[in-house]
PDB file of all heavy atoms in Angstrom:
ATOM      1  N   ILE B 739      20.432  99.969 -46.255  1.00  0.00           N
ATOM      2  CA  ILE B 739      19.801  99.396 -45.137  1.00  0.00           C
ATOM      3  C   ILE B 739      18.292  99.592 -45.258  1.00  0.00           C
ATOM      4  O   ILE B 739      17.864 100.704 -45.488  1.00  0.00           O
ATOM      5  CB  ILE B 739      20.312 100.038 -43.824  1.00  0.00           C
ATOM      6  CG1 ILE B 739      21.818  99.803 -43.699  1.00  0.00           C
ATOM      7  CG2 ILE B 739      19.558  99.520 -42.619  1.00  0.00           C
ATOM      8  CD1 ILE B 739      22.441 100.573 -42.592  1.00  0.00           C
ATOM      9  N   ASP B 740      17.592  98.507 -45.157  1.00  0.00           N
ATOM     10  CA  ASP B 740      16.124  98.539 -45.320  1.00  0.00           C
ATOM     11  C   ASP B 740      15.493  98.339 -43.952  1.00  0.00           C
ATOM     12  O   ASP B 740      15.603  97.286 -43.330  1.00  0.00           O
ATOM     13  CB  ASP B 740      15.710  97.404 -46.284  1.00  0.00           C
ATOM     14  CG  ASP B 740      14.171  97.460 -46.595  1.00  0.00           C
ATOM     15  OD1 ASP B 740      13.512  98.318 -46.032  1.00  0.00           O
ATOM     16  OD2 ASP B 740      13.710  96.656 -47.373  1.00  0.00           O
ATOM     17  N   ALA B 741      14.792  99.406 -43.459  1.00  0.00           N
ATOM     18  CA  ALA B 741      14.243  99.356 -42.096  1.00  0.00           C
ATOM     19  C   ALA B 741      12.985  98.537 -42.009  1.00  0.00           C
ATOM     20  O   ALA B 741      12.404  98.374 -40.936  1.00  0.00           O
ATOM     21  CB  ALA B 741      14.085 100.737 -41.569  1.00  0.00           C
ATOM     22  N   HIS B 742      12.420  98.100 -43.146  1.00  0.00           N
ATOM     23  CA  HIS B 742      11.152  97.406 -43.106  1.00  0.00           C
ATOM     24  C   HIS B 742      11.075  96.351 -44.206  1.00  0.00           C
ATOM     25  O   HIS B 742      10.911  96.654 -45.361  1.00  0.00           O
ATOM     26  CB  HIS B 742       9.995  98.358 -43.216  1.00  0.00           C
ATOM     27  CG  HIS B 742       8.655  97.755 -42.956  1.00  0.00           C
ATOM     28  ND1 HIS B 742       7.645  98.369 -42.238  1.00  0.00           N
ATOM     29  CD2 HIS B 742       8.156  96.532 -43.314  1.00  0.00           C
ATOM     30  CE1 HIS B 742       6.575  97.586 -42.213  1.00  0.00           C
ATOM     31  NE2 HIS B 742       6.874  96.476 -42.860  1.00  0.00           N
ATOM     32  N   SER B 743      11.301  95.031 -43.838  1.00  0.00           N
ATOM     33  CA  SER B 743      11.334  94.063 -44.843  1.00  0.00           C
ATOM     34  C   SER B 743      10.718  92.761 -44.220  1.00  0.00           C
ATOM     35  O   SER B 743      10.610  92.579 -42.959  1.00  0.00           O
ATOM     36  CB  SER B 743      12.786  93.776 -45.238  1.00  0.00           C
ATOM     37  OG  SER B 743      12.847  92.523 -45.867  1.00  0.00           O
ATOM     38  N   HIS B 744      10.264  91.891 -45.060  1.00  0.00           N
ATOM     39  CA  HIS B 744       9.800  90.548 -44.609  1.00  0.00           C
ATOM     40  C   HIS B 744      10.535  89.419 -45.404  1.00  0.00           C
ATOM     41  O   HIS B 744      10.088  88.321 -45.470  1.00  0.00           O
ATOM     42  CB  HIS B 744       8.279  90.388 -44.760  1.00  0.00           C
ATOM     43  CG  HIS B 744       7.507  91.457 -44.055  1.00  0.00           C
ATOM     44  ND1 HIS B 744       7.408  91.537 -42.701  1.00  0.00           N
ATOM     45  CD2 HIS B 744       6.876  92.563 -44.472  1.00  0.00           C
ATOM     46  CE1 HIS B 744       6.735  92.606 -42.337  1.00  0.00           C
ATOM     47  NE2 HIS B 744       6.367  93.203 -43.403  1.00  0.00           N
ATOM     48  N   LEU B 745      11.640  89.799 -45.976  1.00  0.00           N
ATOM     49  CA  LEU B 745      12.377  88.883 -46.793  1.00  0.00           C
ATOM     50  C   LEU B 745      13.101  87.812 -45.940  1.00  0.00           C
ATOM     51  O   LEU B 745      13.496  88.099 -44.789  1.00  0.00           O
ATOM     52  CB  LEU B 745      13.483  89.689 -47.544  1.00  0.00           C
ATOM     53  CG  LEU B 745      14.406  88.934 -48.524  1.00  0.00           C
ATOM     54  CD1 LEU B 745      13.576  88.453 -49.713  1.00  0.00           C
ATOM     55  CD2 LEU B 745      15.494  89.837 -49.004  1.00  0.00           C
ATOM     56  N   ALA B 746      13.227  86.584 -46.469  1.00  0.00           N
ATOM     57  CA  ALA B 746      13.980  85.544 -45.806  1.00  0.00           C
ATOM     58  C   ALA B 746      13.323  85.100 -44.486  1.00  0.00           C
ATOM     59  O   ALA B 746      13.969  84.708 -43.568  1.00  0.00           O
ATOM     60  CB  ALA B 746      15.445  85.885 -45.628  1.00  0.00           C
ATOM     61  N   LEU B 747      12.038  85.213 -44.457  1.00  0.00           N
ATOM     62  CA  LEU B 747      11.325  84.784 -43.214  1.00  0.00           C
ATOM     63  C   LEU B 747      10.280  83.687 -43.633  1.00  0.00           C
ATOM     64  O   LEU B 747       9.555  83.890 -44.601  1.00  0.00           O
ATOM     65  CB  LEU B 747      10.566  85.930 -42.557  1.00  0.00           C
ATOM     66  CG  LEU B 747      11.430  87.084 -42.105  1.00  0.00           C
ATOM     67  CD1 LEU B 747      10.596  88.231 -41.628  1.00  0.00           C
ATOM     68  CD2 LEU B 747      12.389  86.621 -40.990  1.00  0.00           C
ATOM     69  N   ASP B 748      10.238  82.587 -42.923  1.00  0.00           N
ATOM     70  CA  ASP B 748       9.352  81.538 -43.321  1.00  0.00           C
ATOM     71  C   ASP B 748       7.872  81.838 -42.888  1.00  0.00           C
ATOM     72  O   ASP B 748       6.941  81.309 -43.470  1.00  0.00           O
ATOM     73  CB  ASP B 748       9.771  80.201 -42.634  1.00  0.00           C
ATOM     74  CG  ASP B 748      10.760  79.392 -43.430  1.00  0.00           C
ATOM     75  OD1 ASP B 748      10.964  79.814 -44.612  1.00  0.00           O
ATOM     76  OD2 ASP B 748      11.297  78.414 -43.003  1.00  0.00           O
ATOM     77  N   VAL B 749       7.712  82.626 -41.890  1.00  0.00           N
ATOM     78  CA  VAL B 749       6.406  83.009 -41.426  1.00  0.00           C
ATOM     79  C   VAL B 749       6.469  84.505 -41.210  1.00  0.00           C
ATOM     80  O   VAL B 749       7.463  85.009 -40.719  1.00  0.00           O
ATOM     81  CB  VAL B 749       6.008  82.294 -40.092  1.00  0.00           C
ATOM     82  CG1 VAL B 749       4.614  82.595 -39.684  1.00  0.00           C
ATOM     83  CG2 VAL B 749       6.266  80.759 -40.137  1.00  0.00           C
ATOM     84  N   VAL B 750       5.400  85.226 -41.462  1.00  0.00           N
ATOM     85  CA  VAL B 750       5.376  86.646 -41.179  1.00  0.00           C
ATOM     86  C   VAL B 750       4.415  86.997 -40.113  1.00  0.00           C
ATOM     87  O   VAL B 750       4.666  87.819 -39.295  1.00  0.00           O
ATOM     88  CB  VAL B 750       5.114  87.457 -42.515  1.00  0.00           C
ATOM     89  CG1 VAL B 750       4.952  88.938 -42.194  1.00  0.00           C
ATOM     90  CG2 VAL B 750       6.261  87.222 -43.525  1.00  0.00           C
ATOM     91  N   ASN B 751       3.225  86.428 -40.129  1.00  0.00           N
ATOM     92  CA  ASN B 751       2.215  86.759 -39.137  1.00  0.00           C
ATOM     93  C   ASN B 751       1.845  85.589 -38.209  1.00  0.00           C
ATOM     94  O   ASN B 751       1.485  84.573 -38.784  1.00  0.00           O
ATOM     95  CB  ASN B 751       0.921  87.247 -39.802  1.00  0.00           C
ATOM     96  CG  ASN B 751       0.988  88.746 -40.151  1.00  0.00           C
ATOM     97  OD1 ASN B 751       1.030  89.603 -39.263  1.00  0.00           O
ATOM     98  ND2 ASN B 751       0.987  89.077 -41.456  1.00  0.00           N
ATOM     99  N   GLU B 752       1.851  85.760 -36.983  1.00  0.00           N
ATOM    100  CA  GLU B 752       1.147  84.870 -36.064  1.00  0.00           C
ATOM    101  C   GLU B 752      -0.145  85.657 -35.705  1.00  0.00           C
ATOM    102  O   GLU B 752      -0.220  86.320 -34.695  1.00  0.00           O
ATOM    103  CB  GLU B 752       1.973  84.560 -34.799  1.00  0.00           C
ATOM    104  CG  GLU B 752       1.293  83.863 -33.667  1.00  0.00           C
ATOM    105  CD  GLU B 752       0.829  82.430 -34.017  1.00  0.00           C
ATOM    106  OE1 GLU B 752       1.634  81.662 -34.613  1.00  0.00           O
ATOM    107  OE2 GLU B 752      -0.296  82.088 -33.741  1.00  0.00           O
ATOM    108  N   ALA B 753      -1.097  85.622 -36.614  1.00  0.00           N
ATOM    109  CA  ALA B 753      -2.189  86.491 -36.646  1.00  0.00           C
ATOM    110  C   ALA B 753      -3.335  86.011 -35.698  1.00  0.00           C
ATOM    111  O   ALA B 753      -4.478  86.361 -35.884  1.00  0.00           O
ATOM    112  CB  ALA B 753      -2.784  86.723 -38.070  1.00  0.00           C
ATOM    113  N   THR B 754      -3.023  85.154 -34.723  1.00  0.00           N
ATOM    114  CA  THR B 754      -4.109  84.543 -33.970  1.00  0.00           C
ATOM    115  C   THR B 754      -4.448  85.326 -32.715  1.00  0.00           C
ATOM    116  O   THR B 754      -5.490  84.996 -32.122  1.00  0.00           O
ATOM    117  CB  THR B 754      -3.645  83.118 -33.573  1.00  0.00           C
ATOM    118  OG1 THR B 754      -2.371  83.171 -32.966  1.00  0.00           O
ATOM    119  CG2 THR B 754      -3.643  82.205 -34.732  1.00  0.00           C
ATOM    120  N   ALA B 755      -3.643  86.296 -32.271  1.00  0.00           N
ATOM    121  CA  ALA B 755      -3.984  87.025 -31.075  1.00  0.00           C
ATOM    122  C   ALA B 755      -3.561  88.495 -31.277  1.00  0.00           C
ATOM    123  O   ALA B 755      -2.560  88.772 -31.991  1.00  0.00           O
ATOM    124  CB  ALA B 755      -3.200  86.460 -29.895  1.00  0.00           C
ATOM    125  N   PRO B 756      -4.316  89.435 -30.654  1.00  0.00           N
ATOM    126  CA  PRO B 756      -4.011  90.837 -30.811  1.00  0.00           C
ATOM    127  C   PRO B 756      -2.572  91.224 -30.308  1.00  0.00           C
ATOM    128  O   PRO B 756      -2.040  92.223 -30.771  1.00  0.00           O
ATOM    129  CB  PRO B 756      -5.139  91.609 -30.021  1.00  0.00           C
ATOM    130  CG  PRO B 756      -6.085  90.510 -29.737  1.00  0.00           C
ATOM    131  CD  PRO B 756      -5.472  89.164 -29.744  1.00  0.00           C
ATOM    132  N   ILE B 757      -2.122  90.526 -29.351  1.00  0.00           N
ATOM    133  CA  ILE B 757      -0.689  90.769 -28.913  1.00  0.00           C
ATOM    134  C   ILE B 757       0.036  89.403 -28.994  1.00  0.00           C
ATOM    135  O   ILE B 757      -0.353  88.454 -28.403  1.00  0.00           O
ATOM    136  CB  ILE B 757      -0.634  91.295 -27.435  1.00  0.00           C
ATOM    137  CG1 ILE B 757      -1.401  92.624 -27.308  1.00  0.00           C
ATOM    138  CG2 ILE B 757       0.793  91.491 -27.025  1.00  0.00           C
ATOM    139  CD1 ILE B 757      -1.318  93.202 -25.852  1.00  0.00           C
ATOM    140  N   THR B 758       1.120  89.464 -29.755  1.00  0.00           N
ATOM    141  CA  THR B 758       1.944  88.234 -29.773  1.00  0.00           C
ATOM    142  C   THR B 758       3.423  88.627 -29.645  1.00  0.00           C
ATOM    143  O   THR B 758       4.309  88.288 -30.399  1.00  0.00           O
ATOM    144  CB  THR B 758       1.804  87.492 -31.134  1.00  0.00           C
ATOM    145  OG1 THR B 758       2.072  88.438 -32.227  1.00  0.00           O
ATOM    146  CG2 THR B 758       0.473  86.900 -31.343  1.00  0.00           C
ATOM    147  N   ALA B 759       3.671  89.399 -28.537  1.00  0.00           N
ATOM    148  CA  ALA B 759       4.992  89.927 -28.315  1.00  0.00           C
ATOM    149  C   ALA B 759       5.985  88.793 -28.013  1.00  0.00           C
ATOM    150  O   ALA B 759       7.195  88.992 -28.098  1.00  0.00           O
ATOM    151  CB  ALA B 759       4.965  90.852 -27.114  1.00  0.00           C
ATOM    152  N   GLU B 760       5.484  87.609 -27.739  1.00  0.00           N
ATOM    153  CA  GLU B 760       6.363  86.467 -27.404  1.00  0.00           C
ATOM    154  C   GLU B 760       7.025  85.818 -28.596  1.00  0.00           C
ATOM    155  O   GLU B 760       7.959  85.052 -28.400  1.00  0.00           O
ATOM    156  CB  GLU B 760       5.550  85.475 -26.588  1.00  0.00           C
ATOM    157  CG  GLU B 760       4.479  84.692 -27.434  1.00  0.00           C
ATOM    158  CD  GLU B 760       3.134  85.433 -27.570  1.00  0.00           C
ATOM    159  OE1 GLU B 760       3.159  86.689 -27.317  1.00  0.00           O
ATOM    160  OE2 GLU B 760       2.191  84.807 -27.910  1.00  0.00           O
ATOM    161  N   VAL B 761       6.501  86.063 -29.821  1.00  0.00           N
ATOM    162  CA  VAL B 761       7.117  85.370 -30.940  1.00  0.00           C
ATOM    163  C   VAL B 761       8.309  86.109 -31.442  1.00  0.00           C
ATOM    164  O   VAL B 761       8.423  87.276 -31.280  1.00  0.00           O
ATOM    165  CB  VAL B 761       6.054  85.108 -32.028  1.00  0.00           C
ATOM    166  CG1 VAL B 761       4.854  84.447 -31.513  1.00  0.00           C
ATOM    167  CG2 VAL B 761       5.704  86.349 -32.823  1.00  0.00           C
ATOM    168  N   LYS B 762       9.256  85.392 -32.064  1.00  0.00           N
ATOM    169  CA  LYS B 762      10.499  85.984 -32.496  1.00  0.00           C
ATOM    170  C   LYS B 762      10.759  85.587 -33.907  1.00  0.00           C
ATOM    171  O   LYS B 762      10.806  84.416 -34.295  1.00  0.00           O
ATOM    172  CB  LYS B 762      11.629  85.389 -31.649  1.00  0.00           C
ATOM    173  CG  LYS B 762      11.600  85.749 -30.167  1.00  0.00           C
ATOM    174  CD  LYS B 762      12.800  85.155 -29.449  1.00  0.00           C
ATOM    175  CE  LYS B 762      13.085  85.828 -28.156  1.00  0.00           C
ATOM    176  NZ  LYS B 762      12.228  85.460 -27.072  1.00  0.00           N
ATOM    177  N   MET B 763      10.935  86.661 -34.742  1.00  0.00           N
ATOM    178  CA  MET B 763      11.244  86.411 -36.123  1.00  0.00           C
ATOM    179  C   MET B 763      12.612  85.678 -36.316  1.00  0.00           C
ATOM    180  O   MET B 763      12.786  84.966 -37.311  1.00  0.00           O
ATOM    181  CB  MET B 763      11.278  87.733 -36.943  1.00  0.00           C
ATOM    182  CG  MET B 763      10.023  88.618 -36.833  1.00  0.00           C
ATOM    183  SD  MET B 763       8.490  87.627 -36.972  1.00  0.00           S
ATOM    184  CE  MET B 763       8.459  87.274 -38.700  1.00  0.00           C
ATOM    185  N   SER B 764      13.439  85.734 -35.320  1.00  0.00           N
ATOM    186  CA  SER B 764      14.716  85.035 -35.382  1.00  0.00           C
ATOM    187  C   SER B 764      14.526  83.543 -35.450  1.00  0.00           C
ATOM    188  O   SER B 764      15.364  82.822 -35.877  1.00  0.00           O
ATOM    189  CB  SER B 764      15.624  85.405 -34.210  1.00  0.00           C
ATOM    190  OG  SER B 764      15.033  85.121 -32.997  1.00  0.00           O
TER     191      SER B 764
END
Side-chain angles (χ1 to χ4, degrees):
Chain B
I739 299 171
D740 186 356
H742 189 139
S743 162
H744 304 289
L745 182 70
L747 299 173
D748 271 352
V749 185
V750 174
N751 274 296
E752 171 64 48
T754 50
I757 301 183
T758 55
E760 69 278 16
V761 308
K762 293 182 162 76
M763 303 318 286
S764 58

